[in-house]
Amino acid sequence: MTSKVFKDAEAALFDMKDGVSVMSGGFGLCGIPENSILEIRRRALKNLHAISNNIGNSGRGLAWLLKEKQISRATCSYVGGNPDLEAQMLANEIDVTLVPQGTFSERIRAAGMGIRAFYTPAGYGTEIAEGKESRAFDMPCLLELPLAADFAIIKAQKGDPYGNLWFKETARNFSPLMAMAAKVTIVEVEQLVELGEISPEDVHLPGVFVQRIYQGADYENTIEIPIFKDET
Amino acid sequence: MTSKVFKDAEAALFDMKDGVSVMSGGFGLCGIPENSILEIRRRALKNLHAISNNIGNSGRGLAWLLKEKQISRATCSYVGGNPDLEAQMLANEIDVTLVPQGTFSERIRAAGMGIRAFYTPAGYGTEIAEGKESRAFDMPCLLELPLAADFAIIKAQKGDPYGNLWFKETARNFSPLMAMAAKVTIVEVEQLVELGEISPEDVHLPGVFVQRIYQGADYENTIEIPIFKDET
Amino acid sequence: MGEVNVSGSQNHWSKNEMADQVVEMLHDGSSLNLGIGIPTLVAQRIPPEKGIWIHSENGVLGVAGRPTPESVSATLINAGKETISVKKGASFFDSAMSFGMIRGGHIDVCVLGGMQVDAEGSLANWMIPGKKVTGMGGAMDLVHGAKLVIVMLTHFSKRGDVKLLHRCTLPLTGKGVVHKIVTDLGVFTPTGESFQIDRLAPGVTEKQLGMTDTLLSSAS
Amino acid sequence: MGEVNVSGSQNHWSKNEMADQVVEMLHDGSSLNLGIGIPTLVAQRIPPEKGIWIHSENGVLGVAGRPTPESVSATLINAGKETISVKKGASFFDSAMSFGMIRGGHIDVCVLGGMQVDAEGSLANWMIPGKKVTGMGGAMDLVHGAKLVIVMLTHFSKRGDVKLLHRCTLPLTGKGVVHKIVTDLGVFTPTGESFQIDRLAPGVTEKQLGMTDTLLSSAS
């Protein structure tokens, strides 16, 4: 039986090519797949379609790839706090599609769960509605389609050799959904644990959605906006 | 602040009336809310619309209410192994709507998550498609609407005073989805635990979906089909 | 056509041998959903070294045989409501996730029982009008999504009717969804207007299949 | 209309006092989502005995103030990417669940910042064409679903333009979605063609609001 466990990012991303679509987990810099992103930079892959809530932030994460002009297309919900993206948007160097965050997560889930389309009220009556079918239920809604990708790169706190994952605190965000929605899901973990070490009830993402997993290294785990008690 | 914690089934179901729709968790007899069902029997509520994968089984669970003719309408996916339901269906004493199980669970989720409708391939080209809108995506699909209810009665292994829940093994099934989809969700638990005792990452259902919770008693936890090693 | 009574013949596969035909189609490490009835036998015939992950739609991945009287749990069952045990690396989840795994194409193989299956790949397995309604349970979802949908059924009904038809006469579970059919007489692929014979059980002849020539085609 | 510069006046609420107006609208035990910017101040003004459950759309329910330098965690943040701590009974979940809580109507109150809000209850808070695009983030979802949608904004822009308009001129975040507006000068309810004045900050007069008479109506 072929193993899902890879040595490192270089081994796990062996077949990623120019022009692919890549979902990348994380909210801001929280829970981002640092090792996989840096490997994409090292390999100088070009013309990527990045699908991520924030296309990096504060010069880090996917912004590492923005700096190298590796991303030609981005699908995201928020560009604030990302000077690299803003600059390239203004210079028309990147094609950005903005999607409301709840629609973004539900479209990714839909792709993973085989739902072919759904109706949501988000965005009705706004620019986002342009070119979209609408229909009134208890309130007017837009028809939204699944959002899938060639690859998903995500990070988890713990993972086992089958790919069962467990996420820490708010680092879960879009990662399990993206794992469901990509043809090839590559996971890096803080701790690669034994099969059975994650309690079956508390698996956050069953391994059936994961194709490759590796033990990550050298995490920065950057805190973007540290605020402490008795500050504001 | 009003507490969500009730003394028992009698206290928690105080305002349930004839004619309401009630979702009931469980797969077969696994994970069913025994105390709440027995309280509905004790109160002799009539004309109920029961929404449950199986409307009881093997003479137990919601079949306790079928025997007393308390259920006039049922929405479910499977009627096999339920002689009480079969008898009343043949006698036209109950109005049964059959829904494919995956569509059943997704419609309940949709109600809870505010999705107004979705497209799924299940049931296309079958009797289930009659009267439903269809549309071709990568394959032909049916448009399905949310399934909500006045009440949900469910059971969890552990629950805290806010209503955070944790389910054991395969007892989870439809219960967390139903909790999201009902106006009033009433949970009975094997163990009522302190706030914080369920690890925040491993809460299976956040308490925001729960209106009432009580410590259950006298569980039968019937095993329908016990098969052991070296048997077939 | 119904006159060939297979139960009177030595030339047919036992249910375990039928299960072995399914096992041969499984790639190492693949995920597998087993329907209620004959398909559950497949679980017992899989060599552990194949590393198959068995899914049951009530919310478990990693089913592994049966419990002991000591380990049995009322909350650990399969979709047939039978007690099970799980292997290391198993996971439990809710029904929306469970069916999402299937609908989303993450379960490689799905094996279902059937009352009738036809040359178009349509399956009927949930009701006989006026006689019997069990409900479709998860079957209408299970037939969509899996990369390989296999139907396991006895070739003939108790009445002696062939269950492999040009078109099903019973209400459908799914239209054009079945990839392979395993009966006690052989393995078949529905091709639209006929069934391709992939293999026959040892000693079984085409004549024994109780099907017209136009409904049969040999593997090319 | 833009000539009334509120910053030169003593007669207005501080941002904390604005937050207190929001706190007064919260029922004990309710769930609350706080947007980025001014709304985050609300968290600090809620008396713990009110038992409010604060939701942040990046996947947490039960936010409780700030961490200490010892307890801070890179994986524990709110939707503004600021470090937080949580209270007993908190839970973490994925983004689909988080937005389902909102879209499904399980979050009682949602407080957002805004660039403009209008008499129809429409909100604009995600872009200024040709000047600034931050993206809508979760705002387009947040405005649908909560039982009470409150917008907190300063009454005047830095340029001195009133942010409460008959109709928004900036691209909308949501159409007809806002129930209450809290500015540094008062609390308002959009009624379709005008704003009902629910209350004004101490000493503030209607004249100071910089709005035409037809755009204002008093609480009945």
Side-chain angles (χ1 to χ4, degrees):
Chain A
M1 191 174 50
T2 51
S3 169
K4 293 183 179 182
V5 181
F6 285 69
K7 186 174 163 279
D8 54 18
E10 184 177 351
L13 272 70
F14 72 95
D15 59 350
M16 199 180 279
K17 289 187 170 54
D18 292 354
V20 297
S21 55
V22 185
M23 288 180 169
S24 181
F27 187 97
L29 299 181
C30 177
I32 59 169
E34 296 183 25
N35 287 202
S36 289
I37 296 171
L38 289 171
E39 171 63 12
I40 292 174
R41 184 174 72 176
R42 194 192 65 80
R43 291 202 33 215
L45 295 175
K46 296 280 179 203
N47 196 27
L48 300 174
H49 175 194
I51 301 167
S52 187
N53 188 57
N54 317 82
I55 307 296
N57 238 28
S58 310
R60 285 188 158 79
L62 289 177
W64 290 326
L65 308 186
L66 287 169
K67 288 182 208 293
E68 307 295 329
K69 307 276 170 73
Q70 294 177 260
I71 300 173
S72 57
R73 201 174 148 204
T75 301
C76 59
S77 89
Y78 198 73
V79 303
N82 191 341
D84 303 286
L85 184 56
E86 279 168 52
Q88 292 186 29
M89 278 175 78
L90 286 170
N92 273 323
E93 292 174 350
I94 189 167
D95 172 17
V96 177
T97 304
L98 285 165
V99 181
Q101 200 172 126
T103 299
F104 181 76
S105 51
E106 190 70 13
R107 285 179 61 196
I108 295 170
R109 177 190 180 271
M113 300 280 97
I115 297 300
R116 296 328 199 266
F118 62 89
Y119 284 99
T120 175
Y124 179 82
T126 77
E127 288 189 3
I128 292 301
E130 276 168 33
K132 283 187 182 157
E133 281 183 49
S134 68
R135 181 161 173 168
F137 294 92
D138 61 319
M139 58 176 79
C141 289
L142 300 178
L143 183 69
E144 295 285 354
L145 299 175
L147 183 56
D150 297 319
F151 288 88
I153 51 174
I154 65 170
K155 185 196 173 188
Q157 185 68 22
K158 292 184 207 173
D160 72 24
Y162 183 52
N164 291 309
L165 304 182
W166 187 93
F167 298 90
K168 192 178 167 197
E169 299 172 329
T170 57
R172 193 175 329 183
N173 53 65
F174 306 91
S175 297
L177 308 167
M178 289 175 169
M180 299 172 195
K183 287 195 203 87
V184 177
T185 292
I186 302 171
V187 186
E188 57 190 273
V189 291
E190 293 262 357
Q191 299 165 254
L192 190 60
V193 301
E194 299 277 305
L195 214 58
E197 207 168 303
I198 306 172
S199 161
E201 280 94 350
D202 300 328
V203 167
H204 294 162
L205 182 84
V208 73
F209 297 109
V210 171
Q211 279 69 46
R212 303 174 197 166
I213 188 165
Y214 67 92
Q215 167 74 58
D218 304 325
Y219 284 110
E220 291 191 357
N221 290 329
T222 308
I223 296 179
E224 282 186 74
I225 308 176
I227 305 184
F228 299 101
K229 255 199 175 81
D230 299 317
E231 301 180 29
T232 305
Chain B
M1 192 175 47
T2 50
S3 169
K4 292 183 181 183
V5 181
F6 285 70
K7 188 174 161 279
D8 54 17
E10 183 175 352
L13 273 68
F14 72 95
D15 60 350
M16 199 181 279
K17 290 187 168 56
D18 291 352
V20 297
S21 55
V22 186
M23 287 177 170
S24 182
F27 188 97
L29 300 179
C30 178
I32 60 170
E34 295 182 25
N35 286 203
S36 289
I37 296 171
L38 289 170
E39 171 63 13
I40 292 174
R41 184 174 73 176
R42 194 193 65 79
R43 292 200 34 215
L45 295 174
K46 296 280 180 202
N47 197 26
L48 300 174
H49 176 194
I51 301 166
S52 187
N53 188 57
N54 317 83
I55 308 297
N57 239 29
S58 311
R60 286 185 155 82
L62 290 176
W64 289 325
L65 309 185
L66 286 169
K67 289 182 207 294
E68 306 295 330
K69 308 275 169 77
Q70 294 177 260
I71 299 172
S72 57
R73 202 175 147 204
T75 302
C76 59
S77 90
Y78 198 72
V79 304
N82 192 340
D84 302 286
L85 183 57
E86 279 169 53
Q88 293 185 29
M89 277 176 79
L90 286 170
N92 273 322
E93 292 174 350
I94 189 166
D95 173 16
V96 177
T97 303
L98 285 166
V99 180
Q101 201 171 125
T103 300
F104 181 76
S105 51
E106 190 70 14
R107 285 179 62 196
I108 296 170
R109 177 190 181 272
M113 300 280 97
I115 297 299
R116 295 332 199 262
F118 63 90
Y119 284 98
T120 175
Y124 180 82
T126 76
E127 288 190 3
I128 293 301
E130 277 170 31
K132 283 187 182 158
E133 281 183 46
S134 68
R135 181 160 171 168
F137 294 90
D138 61 320
M139 59 174 79
C141 289
L142 300 178
L143 182 70
E144 294 285 355
L145 298 175
L147 182 57
D150 298 319
F151 289 88
I153 50 173
I154 65 169
K155 184 195 173 188
Q157 184 68 22
K158 293 184 205 172
D160 71 24
Y162 183 53
N164 291 310
L165 304 182
W166 188 92
F167 298 89
K168 191 177 167 198
E169 298 171 331
T170 56
R172 193 176 329 183
N173 52 66
F174 306 90
S175 296
L177 308 167
M178 289 175 169
M180 300 173 194
K183 288 196 201 86
V184 177
T185 293
I186 303 170
V187 185
E188 58 191 271
V189 290
E190 294 262 358
Q191 299 166 254
L192 190 60
V193 302
E194 299 276 306
L195 214 56
E197 205 167 306
I198 305 172
S199 161
E201 281 95 349
D202 300 327
V203 167
H204 294 161
L205 183 84
V208 75
F209 298 108
V210 171
Q211 280 69 46
R212 303 172 196 167
I213 188 165
Y214 67 92
Q215 168 73 60
D218 304 325
Y219 285 109
E220 291 191 358
N221 289 329
T222 308
I223 295 178
E224 282 185 75
I225 308 177
I227 306 185
F228 298 100
K229 255 199 175 81
D230 299 316
E231 300 180 32
T232 306
Chain C
M1 276 189 280
E3 68 267 44
V4 185
N5 190 340
V6 76
S7 61
S9 161
Q10 287 293 325
N11 299 335
H12 66 93
W13 284 321
S14 68
K15 285 181 180 172
N16 276 338
E17 286 167 331
M18 286 170 68
D20 291 341
Q21 294 300 315
V22 172
V23 172
E24 274 186 36
M25 298 185 208
L26 303 176
H27 295 289
D28 287 5
S30 58
S31 51
L32 169 69
N33 179 287
L34 297 175
I36 303 173
I38 308 185
T40 56
L41 290 179
V42 173
Q44 271 72 256
R45 307 294 292 185
I46 300 172
E49 62 272 20
K50 265 184 114 77
I52 302 293
W53 290 85
I54 299 178
H55 171 267
S56 197
E57 64 266 29
N58 56 316
V60 52
L61 182 65
V63 176
R66 304 297 181 181
T68 61
E70 292 71 41
S71 70
V72 71
S73 164
T75 49
L76 188 46
I77 62 169
N78 65 17
K81 284 104 186 173
E82 304 164 347
T83 50
I84 55 167
S85 65
V86 293
K87 66 176 178 178
K88 273 189 186 178
S91 54
F92 301 116
F93 31 81
D94 69 43
S95 300
M97 169 65 106
S98 189
F99 280 94
M101 277 186 196
I102 294 161
R103 199 190 300 105
H106 308 283
I107 301 298
D108 299 309
V109 183
C110 181
V111 188
L112 296 101
M115 297 171 182
Q116 294 179 340
V117 62
D118 72 24
E120 219 173 38
S122 297
L123 170 69
N125 77 349
W126 69 284
M127 75 172 291
I128 303 171
K131 280 196 177 169
K132 185 183 168 191
V133 184
T134 62
M136 70 292 291
M140 285 190 182
D141 307 270
L142 287 163
V143 293
H144 298 282
K147 294 176 195 90
L148 176 61
V149 175
I150 303 172
V151 171
M152 282 178 88
L153 34 53
T154 55
H155 203 90
F156 295 96
S157 71
K158 281 178 189 156
R159 271 189 20 186
D161 296 326
V162 184
K163 294 181 182 173
L164 282 67
L165 306 172
H166 181 252
R167 294 292 177 263
C168 291
T169 57
L170 294 173
L172 296 185
T173 304
K175 196 175 162 67
V177 292
V178 177
H179 304 110
K180 291 285 175 190
I181 300 153
V182 175
T183 80
D184 44 351
L185 300 189
V187 179
F188 306 88
T189 304
T191 60
E193 292 302 312
S194 63
F195 294 91
Q196 173 187 293
I197 301 171
D198 294 343
R199 63 189 298 187
L200 293 176
V204 170
T205 62
E206 288 194 18
K207 217 173 169 184
Q208 274 180 273
L209 301 177
M211 295 154 79
T212 61
D213 287 350
T214 52
L215 197 55
L216 286 172
S217 53
S218 291
S220 55
Chain D
M1 272 190 283
E3 67 268 44
V4 184
N5 189 339
V6 76
S7 61
S9 162
Q10 288 292 325
N11 298 336
H12 66 94
W13 284 320
S14 68
K15 284 180 180 174
N16 276 338
E17 286 167 332
M18 286 170 68
D20 291 341
Q21 295 300 315
V22 172
V23 172
E24 276 187 33
M25 299 186 207
L26 303 176
H27 295 289
D28 287 3
S30 58
S31 51
L32 170 68
N33 179 287
L34 297 175
I36 303 172
I38 307 183
T40 56
L41 290 177
V42 173
Q44 271 72 254
R45 308 294 292 183
I46 300 171
E49 61 271 21
K50 266 185 113 77
I52 302 293
W53 290 84
I54 299 177
H55 172 266
S56 198
E57 65 266 30
N58 56 317
V60 52
L61 183 66
V63 177
R66 303 298 181 181
T68 62
E70 292 72 41
S71 71
V72 70
S73 164
T75 49
L76 187 47
I77 62 169
N78 65 17
K81 284 106 186 169
E82 303 164 348
T83 49
I84 56 167
S85 65
V86 294
K87 65 177 178 177
K88 273 188 186 179
S91 54
F92 301 116
F93 31 82
D94 70 43
S95 300
M97 169 65 108
S98 189
F99 280 94
M101 277 186 195
I102 294 160
R103 199 190 300 107
H106 308 283
I107 301 297
D108 298 310
V109 184
C110 181
V111 188
L112 295 101
M115 297 172 181
Q116 294 180 340
V117 62
D118 72 24
E120 221 173 35
S122 296
L123 170 68
N125 78 349
W126 69 283
M127 76 171 290
I128 304 171
K131 281 195 176 171
K132 184 184 167 190
V133 184
T134 61
M136 68 294 288
M140 285 191 184
D141 307 89
L142 288 162
V143 293
H144 297 282
K147 295 177 193 90
L148 177 61
V149 175
I150 304 173
V151 170
M152 283 179 88
L153 35 52
T154 55
H155 204 90
F156 295 95
S157 71
K158 281 176 187 156
R159 272 187 23 185
D161 296 326
V162 185
K163 295 182 182 172
L164 282 67
L165 305 172
H166 181 253
R167 294 291 178 264
C168 291
T169 57
L170 295 174
L172 296 185
T173 304
K175 197 174 162 67
V177 292
V178 178
H179 304 111
K180 291 285 176 191
I181 300 153
V182 176
T183 80
D184 45 349
L185 300 189
V187 179
F188 306 87
T189 304
T191 60
E193 291 303 313
S194 63
F195 294 92
Q196 173 187 294
I197 301 172
D198 292 344
R199 62 188 301 185
L200 293 176
V204 170
T205 63
E206 289 194 18
K207 219 174 168 184
Q208 275 178 272
L209 300 177
M211 294 155 78
T212 61
D213 287 352
T214 51
L215 198 54
L216 287 170
S217 54
S218 292
S220 56

